[in-house]
Amino acid sequence: QVQLVESGGGMVQAGGFLRLSCAASLRTFSNYRMGWFRQAPGKERELVASIGWISSITSYADSVKGRFTISRDNAKSTVYLQMNSLKPEDTAVYYCAADYVPGGDSRYEYWGQGTLVTVSE
């Protein structure tokens, strides 16, 4: 059974930092492109960052470039999101997601339950 379990969320003041982790129970973790999404109250879910399956190429939403860093440890089947210089507008539920790349459909098939990040003024 596939599970993605996020951790590391919490409350922090503006300018602070948090590190999110996502532990995955995937058969071959390195076959998956991993992404971090977020959804703020009243807003649509958005892709924050993603990391490729082999070359670990990363991409970021413009709103987090230079502040957030996504990384992965294939040996631990874990993906991370280091979030620095946090702003109140980063407040959201953050979700980890996995896309099985050999499947060829370029969609995130598996999702975690989410972890809440709250940034106060």
Side-chain angles (χ1 to χ4, degrees):
Q1 183 177 356
V2 174
Q3 277 191 314
L4 302 178
V5 180
E6 301 100 334
S7 60
M11 184 177 293
V12 64
Q13 288 189 325
F17 64 91
L18 285 172
R19 188 193 196 204
L20 305 183
S21 299
C22 172
S25 63
L26 298 167
R27 180 172 293 234
T28 307
F29 181 71
S30 57
N31 280 346
Y32 291 80
R33 176 175 59 133
M34 302 299 296
W36 283 99
F37 291 75
R38 68 185 180 187
Q39 187 165 21
K43 295 188 176 181
E44 292 189 353
R45 185 174 61 195
E46 64 170 339
L47 176 62
V48 174
S50 66
I51 186 165
W53 61 317
I54 295 178
S55 59
S56 294
I57 293 174
T58 58
S59 66
Y60 298 91
D62 288 343
S63 58
V64 306
K65 278 181 183 176
R67 300 188 298 122
F68 290 12
T69 302
I70 188 171
S71 61
R72 66 190 295 161
D73 184 335
N74 287 341
K76 295 182 178 180
S77 297
T78 301
V79 62
Y80 304 96
L81 186 68
Q82 178 68 41
M83 305 186 295
N84 298 329
S85 302
L86 283 161
K87 304 176 181 180
E89 51 264 44
D90 294 319
T91 295
V93 177
Y94 283 72
Y95 298 91
C96 170
D99 164 29
Y100 181 63
V101 178
D105 59 6
S106 296
R107 68 181 182 91
Y108 289 92
E109 294 95 341
Y110 304 108
W111 293 81
Q113 81 289 349
T115 186
L116 177 62
V117 171
T118 303
V119 184
S120 60
E121 296 280 358

